[in-house]
Amino acid sequence: LNELEEEADEEESADEDNDGAYLDDKDDPDIDQMNGEECIRYWALAEHTSHKSIRRLLRILNAKTDLNLPKDPRTLLGTLRNRATMSNIGEGKFWYHGIGHVLTKELQKYTNVPDHLHYDINIDGLPLHKRSKTQFWPILLKIVGEPFLPVLIVGIYCGESKPESNEPFLRPLVEEINSLQATGLQYNDATVKVSLRAIIADTPARAFLKGVQGHTGKHSCLKCCCEGVSVAQRIVFLNTDAPKRTDQGF
């Protein structure tokens, strides 16, 4: 029994030490310079607290303290409530949220805002149901070097097939990528440099995004102008000296 009590005392002491180390985190903001609402907002974002828990806390604090806090957690967190804008692409619908929008929301989780962000874009199609032709083509973003941050949704196309044309599907994305690379992302009083590292897609999606023939076609080589031949029901490229593709030829 004495040994168990000593072990419990040691664990309690270790917990106290760990708590002290956590509270002394150098990345935490200076709470003394923050008002009550800012402190609660920081806590909610840092701990990824649910809206339900935040709402209960706000109700208690408004009833038991002199703090004048919002009743709705979305007001506290500054959640944008604008309705999503939809556009038509052929027979499908396209919703574009925006790179800048999702990155701005994600930067709220940082205690120290980085000077430079790199990100990858992933685009692919996926069916929603086995018995339906409806499919999604999401545009996803992942911040490079941050494995614990979630994948962010930049846009989604929904239809019974892939987008009819890659032009209206990619135009807002391309324009925003160019704009962000030229001017950076404005966040509070700082300008964060934003750079695209890679666009990731499988072979069929890559052909659609580039506007070239699919990998089963005779002119599907993306590196040269070699014309493939059919061998055993497969397209094979035998000419290793074919001229390379150029921007002008494309």
Side-chain angles (χ1 to χ4, degrees):
L1 181 60
N2 291 334
E3 291 179 357
L4 291 175
E5 290 177 349
E6 291 177 359
E7 184 176 346
D9 291 339
E10 291 176 358
E11 291 179 354
E12 183 177 353
S13 176
D15 290 340
E16 291 176 354
D17 292 340
N18 290 336
D19 289 343
Y22 177 78
L23 293 174
D24 290 337
D25 192 346
K26 295 180 180 179
D27 292 333
D28 283 347
D30 187 357
I31 296 178
D32 293 335
Q33 302 298 321
M34 300 164 62
N35 60 35
E37 183 173 337
E38 291 171 339
C39 289
I40 297 171
R41 181 185 302 113
Y42 167 72
W43 164 79
L45 292 173
E47 299 299 328
H48 305 288
T49 311
S50 68
H51 281 203
K52 184 177 181 180
S53 298
I54 298 172
R55 184 177 288 106
R56 287 176 176 172
L57 177 63
L58 292 175
R59 187 184 305 162
I60 294 171
L61 293 177
N62 279 324
K64 299 298 183 180
T65 71
D66 295 331
L67 293 173
N68 184 19
L69 300 170
K71 297 179 180 179
D72 195 317
R74 293 173 296 180
T75 303
L76 176 76
L77 301 177
T79 303
L80 297 179
R81 306 186 198 182
N82 295 337
R83 295 186 62 185
T85 56
M86 306 287 290
S87 60
N88 296 323
I89 300 180
E91 299 297 325
K93 297 286 187 179
F94 181 48
W95 170 77
Y96 187 76
H97 202 35
I99 298 173
H101 184 94
V102 297
L103 286 180
T104 298
K105 295 295 293 183
E106 202 63 26
L107 284 174
Q108 294 178 3
K109 301 177 183 178
Y110 283 75
T111 52
N112 294 319
V113 178
D115 297 326
H116 196 173
L117 282 178
H118 292 83
Y119 65 94
D120 293 334
I121 291 290
N122 171 258
I123 301 175
D124 199 2
L126 65 155
L128 292 186
H129 310 285
K130 292 183 178 179
R131 298 181 180 180
S132 172
K133 295 181 180 179
T134 304
Q135 56 183 270
F136 268 177
W137 278 75
I139 301 174
L140 306 177
L141 180 148
K142 187 71 176 73
I143 299 176
V144 177
E146 297 288 352
F148 298 107
L149 291 182
V151 174
L152 308 175
I153 301 176
V154 175
I156 298 177
Y157 169 84
C158 180
E160 292 190 352
S161 64
K162 65 183 179 183
E164 189 176 87
S165 169
N166 62 7
E167 167 62 29
F169 178 67
L170 293 176
R171 177 55 54 191
L173 176 69
V174 172
E175 289 181 348
E176 189 173 17
I177 289 174
N178 291 336
S179 175
L180 287 173
Q181 299 222 146
T183 63
L185 176 66
Q186 301 300 317
Y187 180 74
N188 292 337
D189 297 328
T191 299
V192 180
K193 189 176 181 181
V194 179
S195 300
L196 172 66
R197 186 182 72 163
I199 296 179
I200 302 169
D202 62 11
T203 301
R206 182 178 63 176
F208 166 69
L209 298 176
K210 289 188 171 184
V212 298
Q213 195 171 47
H215 64 287
T216 58
K218 292 185 177 181
H219 299 276
S220 59
C221 180
L222 300 178
K223 303 298 183 181
C224 70
C225 299
C226 174
E227 181 177 348
V229 295
S230 179
V231 177
Q233 298 182 345
R234 297 179 183 275
I235 298 299
V236 179
F237 300 95
L238 302 176
N239 186 357
T240 59
D241 296 322
K244 294 182 179 180
R245 291 191 180 274
T246 63
D247 292 340
Q248 292 77 11
F250 180 82

